[in-house]
Amino acid sequence: MQIIFVLVRPAVPENIGAAARALKTMGFIELRIVGTVAHREKQARILAHASTDILDNAQEFSDLSAALADIDFSVATSAKDRHDRRYSFSPPELRANLIGKQGAVKKVAIVFGCEESGLSNGELALCDALSSVPLATSYPSLNLAQAVMLYAYELSACATLTENAVPESAEWAALKQRITPLLDSLAVPDGKLRD
């Protein structure tokens, strides 16, 4: 399982650099940046300390839809739990859910909104699930880099499993081959049916 972290319109270059450092310390290498090139600024590189390769290799996208085009399962993070979402997880619940999807899902995106306003309702709708960190107070919420570090730490167990992943079973491959025409006939969009 490949876990990719996506930052949507981050406003503070230092947060991007600190997020890159957090990712590298937890064994992740893939970062996508949406709607800004602030990760190229000197302040981002200073805080990335020994993690500038994450910034140098970050993929840039104009919008979240493009950043998620090749993703199998996407998780929007939010400072508050939104009970209207069918799939909503705390970070430990998310880790358990992703471990359960090992072998069935290849690319996962963990999506973070900008520091000032988070993700829009439209951006939340693009994601398959939602995750929020239970906080003692709703404000102040976590800093962007702190939130990235928390999720990177929690999901590092999934990265470890990836290194030891077993090949897809023949039974699972056959089931996917048989179910794809059914999903097509029902007009289920790619990447939207996961459980």
Side-chain angles (χ1 to χ4, degrees), residues 52-73:
T52 55
D53 56 319
I54 302 286
L55 299 179
D56 293 339
N57 295 318
Q59 293 180 289
E60 300 171 10
F61 295 87
S62 58
D63 59 50
L64 182 57
S65 180
L68 298 178
D70 65 336
I71 298 296
D72 299 314
F73 186 73

Side-chain angles (χ1 to χ4, degrees), residues 76-98:
T77 61
S78 177
K80 56 187 166 191
D81 191 12
R82 297 170 192 250
H83 297 290
D84 59 330
R85 292 298 298 252
R86 181 173 172 199
Y87 301 112
S88 183
F89 307 103
S90 69
E93 291 168 339
L94 177 61
R95 181 191 67 229
N97 185 276
L98 293 181

Side-chain angles (χ1 to χ4, degrees), residues 130-150:
L130 180 75
S131 181
S132 60
V133 177
L135 302 172
T137 60
S138 60
Y139 190 84
S141 62
L142 291 173
N143 167 277
L144 174 61
Q146 292 170 333
V148 169
M149 181 66 201
L150 192 149

Side-chain angles (χ1 to χ4, degrees), residues 1 3 95 98-99 102 154-163:
M1 179 181 299
I3 298 179
R95 181 191 67 229
L98 293 181
I99 288 172
Q102 195 75 16
E154 194 67 50
L155 299 178
S156 63
C158 297
T160 303
L161 282 176
T162 301
E163 296 170 4

Side-chain angles (χ1 to χ4, degrees), residues 2-23:
Q2 186 178 356
I3 298 179
I4 301 163
F5 287 74
V6 181
L7 306 183
V8 179
R9 296 179 313 280
V12 181
E14 290 88 345
N15 282 338
I16 304 170
R21 187 174 181 175
L23 294 179

